[in-house]
Structures are given as C-alpha cells and as structure tokens.
Amino acid sequence: MKIRKITIKNFRGVKELDWSLPTADIFCLIGKGDSSKSTILEAIRYAFYPQWNLTLSDSDFYQCKVENSIVIEVTIGDLVEEFCSLNKYGHCLRGWDVAALKLTDEPDDHLERVLTVRLTVEKDLEPKWIAVCDRSPEGVPFKQADRSKVSVGLIGAYSERQLSWATGTALAKLTEAQSLNELLANASRTARTSLDADRPVTLKNFDAAAVKSQEIAKLLGVPVLDAYKAHLDLTSINLKVGGLTLHDGDMPLRQLGLGSRRMLLCGIQKMGLEEGHITLFDEVEFGLEPHRITRLIKHIREDKRGQYFLTTHSPTVLRELTVKELHVVHSKGGVAQIISAAQDGLQEHEVQGKIRSSTEAFLAKKVVVCEGATEVGFLRGFDDYQVENKKDPLSFHGVALLDARGASKLKALAKAFKSLRYDVSVLADGDAEKQFSPADEAELVTLGVPVHVWSDKLSLEERAFQDLPWASVLVSVKLAQELGFPANDQVRSKFGEELEKQVDQWEDSPKLRTAIGSAAKGCSWFKDTTRGDLWFKAIIPAFQDAAFAKKNLALELGKLWAWVEHV
C-alpha cells in the first residue's frame, strides 16, 4: 500500500498541512530545523499505529490547545483486495486522480481506488481511528489489525523495540503464526522447574528463611497447607513478547551501534512483507559514515515494494538523491508547506547540479546567491565581524551563502530557490551587464528577491578600492603580497607609471585606486572563499570610519544584513 495524500491539523508543531503526493516510492523531506519534518513522519505512524494503547498528552496538540482536536488524515492507494471488500471498507472507497493529484469522493473506473484513514484525538486524549468519505462522514472503525496490515514502521533515534518480537514490529510480522505468549509462558515454567531441581544447593539459605517463616506462621495461627519454601512466582517473572529479542550469538543486537541498528531495521522492514510496507526513516544519516549512507540509499532505491519517507540534514544524503526525490518543507505560523524540488518550470539539471555542489543551501531557510567565491568569503568575514559586535550570526537566521559561479547563473538560481519558497537575496557585481543585466535585476525584484549590486558598474574589488579608507587599501595590497601575488608589479602594470617599492609610501589618488582595483580583479587576489574571508578581516577597521559608512560598499552590506535580520 502507498500513501497518496496527507492532511494534518493541530498536531504538535503543525497547525495545518495539506500534501498531495506524486506517484513515487521515495520522499526525502528537507529544509531548516524546526520545520516539522519529524512531526510529519510521526503523524503517519500514529495514523496506522499497530497497537491499541497509543499514549498522547496535551503537548501533542498544537500550542497545547486541547480545545482544537488533532485530526490526521492519510489516504492510501495500491490497496489490498481485503480492504476493498464491502465487508471491510468498500463503502468508504474514494478515487485518486494520479495526473491531477486530486482526491474525488466517488470511486471511478479511470481513478485509483483509495481509502482515507482519519485519526482524531480530542481533549479526553482518546485516539479514534475511522475510515471516512464524504458519503459516510461518521466513518467505519479502522481496526488495530488492519492498521498493522498497512505495515508502517518508524526507524528513529530509539528503535531497540523494533529488534524484538513485540506487537507491531517488523520481526513480529515476519514470524509464522505461532503463539509467542504460550512459548514464553512455557519458558517461565521451565525456569521454575530448573530452579527447583537444583534446590539443595542454590536455595539452601532461602529455604532456611522459609522454614523460620513457617514456624512464625504456625505460632500466629496462619494455616500451612504443605511446607514453606522459596520459589519463583510465575506472575512476577512472566516474560513478555517484547522480551524475545534478536541476538547475535549471546549478544542482543540492541547493543549494535546506532547506524548498524538502523540499517538492519531498514532491511528487516523490507524483507518478507508480501504486501509491501511504508518505512519512515527519521534523520537517515544518524550513526552512518558516508559510504554506508550510499549503500543504504541504494538498498532503498532497489526496493520496489516499499514506500519510504526520509528526513535529513546531511549533505551526503542529498547528493545521493535525485531532484524528484527531494521535497522542501517550510513552516510559518504552524502552516506547513511541502514543495517538490522537481516542480514544473525549474531546470532539473541546474538544480541537481547545485544539490551536488551546494547542498547546505537546500537545508537553510534563507539563501544569499552570490556571484562568486569572493563574495561568499567576503560575507563570511562580514558575518564574523557582526558576531563580534553582538549581532546574531547568519546561522541563527537560517542563512546559507551560495556560490553561483558566474553572473550568468544568478537569475536562474535565484528564481529556482524562490520558487521552492526559500527567502532569497542576490549579491552581484555591476561589471557584467551582458550576463546579469538591469532587466534581470528588475525581474528578480518583482518576484520579491532583493538584489544588491555595486554602483558605477564595478566589481566587488573595484568598488572596495574606491570606497575604503586609504589605510585599508594599503593593508589589502600587503595581504595580496602575503598570499603570494606580485601585487606591486601587477598594480604598476595597470597604473602605467612607476611606483614606490614600499607600499606604505604610495600616495592616495583616484587613478591609483582604480589601478589597484583592476589588478585585484584581473589577477584574482581574493577570488576564493578563504582569501575573500581573509580580505574582509584585514579591512575591518574601515567599518569604524564615519566617511566609509556612507559609501556604496558599506551601504549595500548594511541593506543585506537588514534583510538577513528582518525577512
């Protein structure tokens, strides 16, 4: 069975979610932390909870407001024939339009037959499961045995129970029909018999105490039917089904490392379940090295009988998945949205390429699309400077810096991330209008993407050397020399006149500033992330200069930071 649609109301951090799923077997939920990814997995698990005693509390309600009932509806297709029987849920069947991703209350020949299961929890904390449709809003009870047949399994941080034969676990479903309770009761009786056989040795002192207790009982008039002795109380030692666990020799497999346990559980969930399964894998990367992540994703992709819902914060996981398998989760004011990374209008190869090279951006809330590595490094240094001045860092605001690797790619990337509902801003040079034109800038602004471009059609280096105090200009040239560049010769080549060999002896002039900016740009002094970061740190004293604060470089950085803090 496969999930086609999920609706959640008032469950934990989700006030409202309505998600119609495309036909697929792998759904990886990505996005910033606290966007309710794990809550969505828990909602699916609760909708098909295989036991009757689901325990909930007031904290499971959105903002703990118990007057607003929890309602989780999950529509499943690819149904087993048993569920379609009129003796089961045939009267509640609905239709699913695969192409339009639309649910219709009446089943039809050209639509897939689906069943909507609703879990409702009111302030009495009693869960109620029913199969519903508009024709029968009161619904039909969706029984525990049928919830178990959907075979929903969660592999989370704490999954030791799944390595036992407890009710509803994958191991229990793999086991042929047999009375486990009777088996374990017999084991308890065997333990009692074994202890009794060794009584003269192992229970000698205990039996001595029992004899004394018998004497006291007789003195007090308490009847003694036979003789007091120490023995096992079968009620006290009664083994539960959950006590039968998977072992490697004498070692319980719950003692395996976290990653190994989770990989094993994933395999068990798949193995032998003839009707398929729905596996929920929270933070799939926990406890796994990159090479084992690769193996696990391959295992998942090869499983054609299962449907997988993953969450991750791992760049490695994203690199192993395709655009069609990624779904971005956004949450604002409790209203959650899930956007496919493969939606119409996006160039799939471009987005896939950025997933491979800049995965961190897809795990953020806000994205600053930078023209190149210089800008990325420069903003990293700016971030450190702001933190030193008691500002919250970019990470606090959920901001990722993305290297577009060229002005020609700025617009397409900014539009792609905006269409995926990220907050997006652009930082670009002004010297490449053929690659990123004023019209491109205006188009992005219309879409709600602020664009920060250096004035006078200058690059970052050219703009900086026009605006910085002269002391910071000289410090920048010296830094280039320390980084291994023949800066003196390179500037002299652009300047066209002789210069003093000692940089400290250079005299400020518009022509020399232009030459330095041209050399820095043309000779790539700071054109990687590390050098861009070092450059900003070298010019930090400029930000204490009142005149510099009014220049274009400082003003654009200020506007960008205001966007970071307030959007």
Side-chain angles (χ1 to χ4, degrees), residues 239-258:
L239 299 176
K240 303 297 183 184
V241 171
L244 189 66
T245 68
L246 202 59
H247 282 59
D248 181 358
D250 291 330
M251 185 192 78
L253 288 184
R254 60 179 172 77
Q255 293 182 359
L256 283 174
L258 175 61

Side-chain angles (χ1 to χ4, degrees), residues 509-538:
S509 72
K511 182 179 179 181
L512 182 52
R513 283 176 175 269
T514 300
I516 295 172
S518 179
K521 172 188 172 183
C523 300
S524 304
W525 288 359
F526 310 116
K527 284 199 180 299
D528 73 18
T529 302
T530 300
R531 297 202 298 269
D533 188 356
L534 291 172
W535 181 29
F536 187 93
K537 287 179 168 60

Side-chain angles (χ1 to χ4, degrees), residues 75-331:
T75 299
I76 52 175
D78 195 16
L79 299 172
V80 294
E81 284 302 319
E82 179 187 356
F83 279 17
C84 300
S85 165
L86 293 178
N87 294 328
K88 277 282 189 178
Y89 308 110
H91 294 293
C92 296
L93 293 180
R94 311 171 92 177
W96 178 251
D97 189 327
V98 174
L101 302 183
K102 185 177 180 181
L103 185 64
T104 303
D105 200 56
E106 293 284 351
D108 200 300
D109 289 342
H110 72 283
L111 302 176
E112 181 186 12
R113 293 184 301 178
V114 294
L115 182 68
T116 300
V117 177
R118 177 189 295 163
L119 165 62
T120 305
V121 184
E122 298 183 355
K123 59 184 177 181
D124 61 3
L125 303 182
E126 287 294 327
K128 297 180 179 64
W129 289 272
I130 56 174
V132 299
C133 64
D134 294 345
R135 308 184 308 278
S136 178
E138 68 281 359
V140 176
F142 195 67
K143 299 179 181 179
Q144 175 188 345
D146 292 330
R147 298 199 300 272
S148 181
K149 288 174 184 175
V150 182
S151 295
V152 175
L154 174 67
I155 302 176
Y158 305 100
S159 302
E160 289 88 347
R161 181 178 177 274
Q162 292 293 327
L163 290 173
S164 76
W165 273 265
T167 304
T169 65
L171 277 174
K173 295 172 186 174
L174 283 176
T175 306
E176 296 181 1
Q178 182 177 359
S179 175
L180 289 177
N181 288 323
E182 180 182 350
L183 175 68
L184 295 175
N186 288 336
S188 299
R189 297 183 187 109
T190 300
R192 180 182 171 98
T193 302
S194 175
L195 190 64
D196 201 27
D198 213 18
R199 174 175 297 280
V201 177
T202 58
L203 294 179
K204 179 179 179 181
N205 293 334
F206 296 94
D207 279 345
V211 170
K212 293 179 180 178
S213 299
Q214 176 179 310
E215 293 172 354
I216 294 172
K218 289 181 175 180
L219 288 173
L220 296 175
V222 177
V224 177
L225 299 179
D226 186 0
Y228 282 13
K229 60 183 178 180
H231 221 325
L232 293 177
D233 183 342
L234 286 181
T235 303
S236 299
I237 69 164
N238 184 30
L239 299 176
K240 303 297 183 184
V241 171
L244 189 66
T245 68
L246 202 59
H247 282 59
D248 181 358
D250 291 330
M251 185 192 78
L253 288 184
R254 60 179 172 77
Q255 293 182 359
L256 283 174
L258 175 61
S260 297
R261 286 203 310 271
R262 287 156 60 88
M263 288 192 75
L264 176 60
L265 288 172
C266 186
I268 291 173
Q269 181 75 1
K270 169 188 172 182
M271 181 179 59
L273 299 178
E274 296 299 331
E275 302 297 344
H277 61 93
I278 298 170
T279 294
L280 315 174
F281 219 133
D282 198 17
E283 302 292 357
V284 66
E285 68 275 10
F286 269 13
L288 294 177
E289 306 88 344
H291 69 276
R292 291 212 290 172
I293 290 176
T294 300
R295 185 70 191 91
L296 178 61
I297 297 299
K298 185 176 186 294
H299 168 87
I300 289 172
R301 189 168 281 125
E302 291 174 349
D303 180 9
K304 301 305 179 184
R305 290 181 302 159
Q307 190 180 40
Y308 289 85
F309 291 82
L310 320 175
T311 71
T312 187
H313 287 101
S314 167
T316 302
V317 175
L318 263 64
R319 293 188 187 104
E320 293 297 324
L321 297 171
T322 67
V323 168
K324 293 180 180 179
E325 293 163 343
L326 297 177
H327 300 263
V328 186
V329 183
H330 297 288
S331 182

